[in-house]
Each structure stands twice: as C-alpha cells, then as structure tokens.
Amino acid sequence: MLRLVALETIIERQIDGSHQRDDVMIDCLGAWRVLREGGVMLMDDDTWKPDNPDAERVTPAVDTFLASHDDAEVILGSHQIAVRKRPA
C-alpha cells in the first residue's frame, strides 16, 4: 500500500545516486523544491573521485547549487554535505 505524504511535511531528503554532475544537480533542485523550511538535505559523496572530470563528479553540482541558493545553510561539510533550508 502506498502512503502519500503532504509536501509541507518533508523535513529531510538525501541525495545519493548518480555521481554525474548534471544528475546530481537535477536531484538537488528537485529535492530542494519539496523540502520544507527548516528541513535538511544531505548530499553524499562530495569528495568522491576528485581527479575525475567535473562532469563526472558530485562537487561541481553541490558548489553550483550552494552558490545559487541563499536559503541553503551548510551545517555539515565533509564527505557528506548537509544543508538546512532557511526561510526565503
């Protein structure tokens, strides 16, 4: 049985899938859109394969996402990046 959850109740999202920059960006943007204020989004594998080209890494997407979202407060920075959604 599928249980539906109202979007305003989403308080945590984890991004851990593809390691391709463009896929990560799409995942971040989609998750952020439905994350409520005060919610936390975790982005995994930020330090994964630092010598790969940018298109094959997580970090460029995370950096671009953070640079374009003033409402994202970094609360943990390491292999996982955790950001809290501040009021817009």
Side-chain angles (χ1 to χ4, degrees):
M1 174 187 211
L2 176 65
R3 187 169 69 102
L4 299 178
V5 179
L7 296 181
E8 62 271 7
T9 66
I10 296 175
I11 58 171
E12 183 269 331
R13 302 300 282 165
Q14 182 169 355
I15 307 300
D16 185 11
S18 170
H19 293 97
Q20 301 296 305
R21 177 197 57 215
D22 296 346
D23 293 341
V24 173
M25 180 58 77
I26 290 167
D27 289 346
C28 287
L29 293 171
W32 196 253
R33 185 177 54 81
V34 298
L35 186 69
R36 73 175 180 146
E37 289 180 359
V40 174
M41 183 168 73
L42 302 172
M43 297 166 280
D44 198 24
D45 297 332
D46 188 56
T47 58
W48 184 79
K49 297 195 177 184
D51 296 328
N52 275 11
D54 279 358
E56 299 173 9
R57 296 176 46 233
V58 172
T59 302
V62 171
D63 291 348
T64 299
F65 175 83
L66 293 174
S68 63
H69 286 81
D70 293 335
D71 58 343
E73 172 191 8
V74 177
I75 58 175
L76 172 69
S78 64
H79 187 67
Q80 280 196 331
I81 305 296
V83 293
R84 179 177 293 122
K85 189 171 191 177
R86 293 186 265 209

